[in-house]
Amino acid sequence: MTTKTITLKSNKVIFSHEQLREALLYTEDVLDRALVPFIVLGKMAEQLRREEIPIFEADRIQIAVLERYLSDSPTSIIKMVAPQAVWGENTIRFAHNGVPVEIKIIRQNYDFFKSPDFRFYYLIIFNIPNPFEKYWKMRMF
């Protein structure tokens, strides 16, 4: 596995495609075990949308999970499968092989999460916001 990272002038670290792929697939596995649907956000979503695979470049994995899917059972499964996760009021954070993963807990009804688009990656369907342009304009919510 390649562990090469690139440091930019702004001191942000851009992880290799292999690191990002492993972190994304690990996150998908954690949420799949808990039966929690999710939507990929940020640079990863943009690259999935443009189908720029296999050239992922990002400084982290960003995921959205609707709050209604985080009842007691899924939450306990996530805590069991990913005990390193730090739970905040609006986020769940952990790192996989050094790659930061941020799961945003969504409490509002955003239009772009109602009917997500999807992209295939490594035989897995990943949801992305739809319409993507509307999400991209207000992605710092």
Side-chain angles (χ1 to χ4, degrees), residues 12 18 24 30 69 80 85 87 91 102 104 122 133:
K12 278 192 175 182
E18 293 81 13
L24 180 62
V30 168
Y69 295 117
M80 187 173 28
W87 291 69
T91 58
E102 178 182 279
K104 294 183 179 191
Y122 276 80
E133 294 77 16

Side-chain angles (χ1 to χ4, degrees), residues 11-30:
N11 290 330
K12 278 192 175 182
V13 174
I14 302 297
F15 294 95
S16 72
H17 173 76
E18 293 81 13
Q19 290 171 299
L20 292 165
R21 181 190 67 225
E22 282 194 24
L24 180 62
L25 295 178
Y26 174 79
T27 304
E28 187 274 337
D29 182 53
V30 168

Side-chain angles (χ1 to χ4, degrees), residues 16-100:
S16 72
H17 173 76
E18 293 81 13
Q19 290 171 299
L20 292 165
R21 181 190 67 225
E22 282 194 24
L24 180 62
L25 295 178
Y26 174 79
T27 304
E28 187 274 337
D29 182 53
V30 168
L31 295 173
D32 187 54
R33 289 178 190 216
L35 301 176
V36 174
F38 65 92
I39 298 172
V40 179
L41 302 177
K43 292 286 288 179
M44 300 288 288
E46 180 185 30
Q47 292 169 64
L48 282 168
R49 177 179 167 264
R50 294 180 186 209
E51 297 179 334
E52 293 178 0
I53 314 309
I55 315 290
F56 277 145
E57 287 185 0
D59 63 346
R60 64 189 162 180
I61 303 289
Q62 292 178 290
I63 302 292
V65 171
L66 300 179
E67 181 183 40
R68 69 176 177 252
Y69 295 117
L70 293 175
S71 62
D72 291 341
S73 180
T75 297
S76 64
I77 291 170
I78 293 169
K79 288 179 178 180
M80 187 173 28
V81 177
Q84 76 277 24
V86 176
W87 291 69
E89 186 175 330
N90 298 314
T91 58
I92 305 165
R93 297 175 194 268
F94 59 88
H96 180 73
N97 290 335
V99 178

